[in-house]
Amino acid sequence: MTTAPTLSADAALPAGLVRSLLEHAVAGGAPAVEVSAPATGQRIAELPQSSVDDIDRAFATARAAQGEWAATPVRERVAVLRRFHDLVLAEQDAILDIVQTETGKSRAHAFDEVGDVAVNARYYASVAEKLLATRKPRGVLPVLTQVDVRHRPKGVVAVISPWNYPLALAASDALPALVAGNAVIARPDNQTALTALWAIDAAVRAGLPRGLWQAVLGRGREIGGEVIGRADYVDYTGSSATGRTIARQAGERLIGYSLELGGKNPLLVLADADVSRAAKVAVRACFSSAGQLCESMERIYVHDGVYDKFVGEFVANVRALKLGAALNYDSDMGSLTFQRQLDTVSSHVDDAVAKGATVLAGGRARPDLGPYFYEPTVLADVRPGMTVYREETFGPVVSVYRVASDDEAVAAANDTAYGLNASVWTKDAGRGREIAARINAGSVNVNEGFIAAWGSADAPSGGLGISGTGRRHGPEGLLKYIDTQTIAVQRVLPIAPLPGMSEQLWAKTMTLYFGVMKTLRQK
Ligand code: NAD
């Protein structure tokens, strides 16, 4: 049951579109909530919410659909992903409008999400058959012991996703789960639910059987436990604080989980960097989606020798950014998504300034552009004791620090409990790799901010420390959604003394065998 959304005359999205997307949500049993467009304040919808009965129903439907899907040849499942890829690219204007309307981000930053989904759909379509094929490892006694390692989908996977990259984080984690033979129950953030529902709709139009990927709607702290309580695996993206709650709930049920959490990411400009290029790319690395990007840079450490040149050019580039969130490519950076984001950003900047930080660019809200706009902000003279020094802002605020050596830069980069992403700038790629390996982060980009590592879908992405556990992308991003089952068939002879053979002779024979296997360097 889905409650028809009520829309005001100045609705930000067409009522018919909203109504048809909501058909993929199992919701309506709990009171609706109003959702508005951050950039303009226009109403989007009265979003129906899911009751416990709705959640029960969603899981029952998903379980019923999953059995048949798991028995469908992988090749057919892969074909759905390929068609989904084409649909997302062909209909990008429609989904870009929805993403921008729900988040307030600029179109260029919304396009990053389209790219992410296309890359992941293509990647998992190309590797799924190989990753899911039955493996035949050597048995304990070669030839006599025949072993199959089969892959079994977990069942129903819960994908609990936040609002900042609503298409990428809802779809790119669901696709490998689906192609592996699972059903998915999405719990998108209310603010960006329609984006996730569009992805589900596109997948159904690409041939995904109905019921396999559905959404339940509600605030995480209200329905999160109910969703995790019914799932066979949970994939969560959000803050480290909530990650701990999810881990506790999943642990209680002994189900697997993957947590993609926060970051306080460092960018290092070494003495031999291409400074102008660094000063240009760093803008994207810091201010994509107005800094509401887990991978974005909030700390920049610059070698003394290039500090003045880098900071001069970087600040000039930041000041030149055009703010706006119109549904076209004319703006460079959009709005923040919520009042609470604006409050956090303002309080971090105000606290730093009150304690002696210098504002080199930005530093103020722009209510003239929309309720939650805030200028891209660069701070200097940031010191321990200022909130922004250590805490994730998750907004358009970056601090620049002068360092005297690579060692000082690496030590400062690692002075955090987070470990999500980092960036190193040098003209010497070998040196870049070496410095990268010393940084405690799940991904390090040399001469890039985040897209080089993030966009390489064959490489795993995820955090160290309190930035998370588990990985998305790469083989790891699919294998987490399956269990292995080892089937070993013993033929001809038992693994035991032959008739009439003593245990002692058996032990001697086996000892000889173990020695031979090692000498022959066998597995
Ligand atoms: P948050 O943890 O408050 O909320 C994130 C999502 O989790 C929301 O949709 C919320 O409804 C849901 N949620 C909250 N409590 C829940 C619960 N008990 N059970 C289930 N779901 C629950 O975080 P936020 O501040 O809204 O989001 C920003 C954070 O997410 C930042 O820390 C950011 O770095 C992180 N993030 C990480 C990644 C990544 O890939 N590592 C990506 C995007 C965002």
Side-chain angles (χ1 to χ4, degrees):
M1 181 186 70
T2 296
T3 308
T6 12
L7 292 174
S8 59
D10 64 345
L13 291 172
L17 171 69
V18 173
R19 235 189 323 271
S20 73
L21 293 180
L22 281 171
E23 281 171 20
H24 299 286
V26 187
V33 298
E34 183 178 312
V35 179
S36 310
T40 60
Q42 277 178 302
R43 175 184 296 213
I44 298 175
E46 289 287 326
L47 198 70
Q49 300 286 278
S50 304
S51 62
V52 172
D53 280 353
D54 290 330
I55 297 169
D56 259 340
R57 222 149 28 84
F59 272 87
T61 309
R63 283 201 191 285
Q66 191 263 332
E68 203 176 319
W69 179 241
T72 305
V74 181
R75 189 163 303 197
E76 288 177 34
R77 294 188 231 147
V78 160
V80 174
L81 258 58
R82 290 198 201 282
R83 289 191 293 267
F84 179 78
H85 166 276
D86 294 348
L87 265 173
V88 170
L89 291 184
E91 299 182 9
Q92 60 179 273
D93 282 342
I95 185 56
L96 288 173
D97 285 355
I98 301 174
V99 170
Q100 279 196 276
T101 302
E102 290 193 317
T103 61
K105 65 174 72 179
S106 72
R107 201 157 187 89
H109 298 155
F111 180 77
D112 285 348
E113 302 204 48
V114 166
D116 177 81
V117 172
V119 164
N120 279 287
R122 186 188 76 220
Y123 171 68
Y124 285 113
S126 355
V127 299
E129 281 193 270
K130 193 160 169 228
L131 290 176
L132 295 169
T134 296
R135 202 160 65 79
K136 292 188 175 294
R138 178 197 297 280
V140 57
L141 295 178
V143 184
L144 300 182
T145 316
Q146 293 188 336
V147 181
D148 288 349
V149 177
R150 291 166 43 79
H151 295 126
R152 295 159 66 100
K154 293 275 183 188
V156 183
V157 171
V159 175
I160 301 179
S161 54
W163 43 271
N164 61 326
Y165 274 69
L167 179 64
L169 299 176
S172 294
D173 284 344
L175 296 176
L178 290 165
V179 82
N182 297 285
V184 170
I185 295 294
R187 198 300 325 208
D189 196 278
N190 276 335
Q191 178 62 36
T192 52
L194 297 175
T195 295
L197 292 169
W198 185 90
I200 297 175
D201 188 68
V204 168
R205 286 186 286 124
L208 188 77
R210 268 182 188 274
L212 264 181
W213 187 9
Q214 309 159 79
V216 293
L217 304 178
R219 292 189 181 92
R221 59 178 184 280
E222 286 166 16
I223 69 165
E226 298 292 342
V227 172
I228 296 166
R230 289 163 176 79
D232 301 312
Y233 186 90
V234 57
D235 181 276
Y236 171 76
T237 306
S239 66
S240 301
T242 306
R244 290 192 176 94
T245 305
I246 306 284
R248 269 196 298 275
Q249 291 172 337
E252 197 56 47
R253 295 200 51 232
L254 294 177
I255 59 168
Y257 57 87
S258 161
L259 304 173
E260 307 286 347
L261 310 175
K264 184 78 183 172
N265 307 308
L267 183 149
L268 281 57
V269 184
L270 307 187
D272 69 342
D274 178 338
V275 171
S276 297
R277 218 177 114 204
K280 194 159 181 272
V281 176
V283 173
R284 204 177 178 103
C286 298
F287 301 114
S288 280
S289 293
Q292 299 171 123
L293 163 64
C294 54
E295 304 258 320
S296 74
M297 300 297 152
E298 297 199 359
R299 304 179 285 150
I300 301 184
Y301 300 101
V302 192
H303 191 278
D304 198 27
V306 292
Y307 182 90
D308 291 337
K309 180 170 164 56
F310 173 83
V311 171
E313 290 188 26
F314 178 59
V315 166
N317 292 339
V318 173
R319 287 198 183 135
L321 290 177
K322 210 169 129 194
L323 269 60
L327 304 185
N328 57 42
Y329 283 98
D330 290 350
S331 324
D332 299 313
M333 193 186 99
S335 164
L336 291 165
T337 303
F338 297 109
Q339 179 67 43
R340 70 167 193 272
Q341 286 296 113
L342 181 63
D343 293 344
T344 306
V345 169
S346 305
S347 79
H348 280 202
V349 173
D350 295 350
D351 168 81
V353 170
K355 290 174 181 163
T358 308
V359 177
L360 300 180
R364 61 190 181 123
R366 290 295 300 273
D368 53 315
L369 299 174
Y372 311 136
F373 276 87
Y374 196 94
E375 289 187 350
T377 299
V378 183
L379 299 176
D381 305 315
V382 169
R383 278 182 281 276
M386 300 178 184
T387 310
V388 77
Y389 182 83
R390 206 168 278 290
E391 280 185 27
E392 181 187 37
T393 305
F394 208 55
V397 182
V398 63
S399 309
V400 286
Y401 301 87
R402 192 190 287 267
V403 290
S405 67
D406 291 354
D407 286 349
E408 189 185 340
V410 170
N414 285 339
D415 182 21
T416 174
Y418 289 107
L420 191 60
N421 183 38
S423 169
V424 177
W425 287 81
T426 165
K427 285 190 187 131
D428 178 347
R431 190 154 159 258
R433 285 196 178 89
E434 210 177 288
I435 298 284
R438 293 169 58 195
I439 297 177
N440 301 330
S443 59
V444 185
N445 293 266
V446 177
N447 297 333
E448 233 300 319
F450 63 92
I451 302 174
W454 178 270
S456 302
D458 197 12
S461 169
L464 307 182
I466 65 166
S467 289
T469 172
R471 293 290 180 265
R472 58 161 60 101
H473 300 171
E476 291 86 345
L478 183 149
L479 296 174
K480 67 185 180 183
Y481 294 130
I482 56 174
D483 286 317
T484 56
Q485 180 188 42
T486 297
I487 299 177
V489 177
Q490 188 59 27
R491 302 172 344 129
V492 187
L493 296 176
I495 310 175
L498 297 172
M501 193 184 210
S502 70
E503 288 288 353
Q504 193 176 10
L505 183 56
W506 167 253
K508 269 193 180 160
T509 311
M510 290 310 288
T511 303
L512 194 64
Y513 166 68
F514 295 147
V516 169
M517 291 297 274
K518 191 201 155 210
T519 306
L520 295 176
R521 298 254 187 273
Q522 295 298 301
K523 282 194 262 180

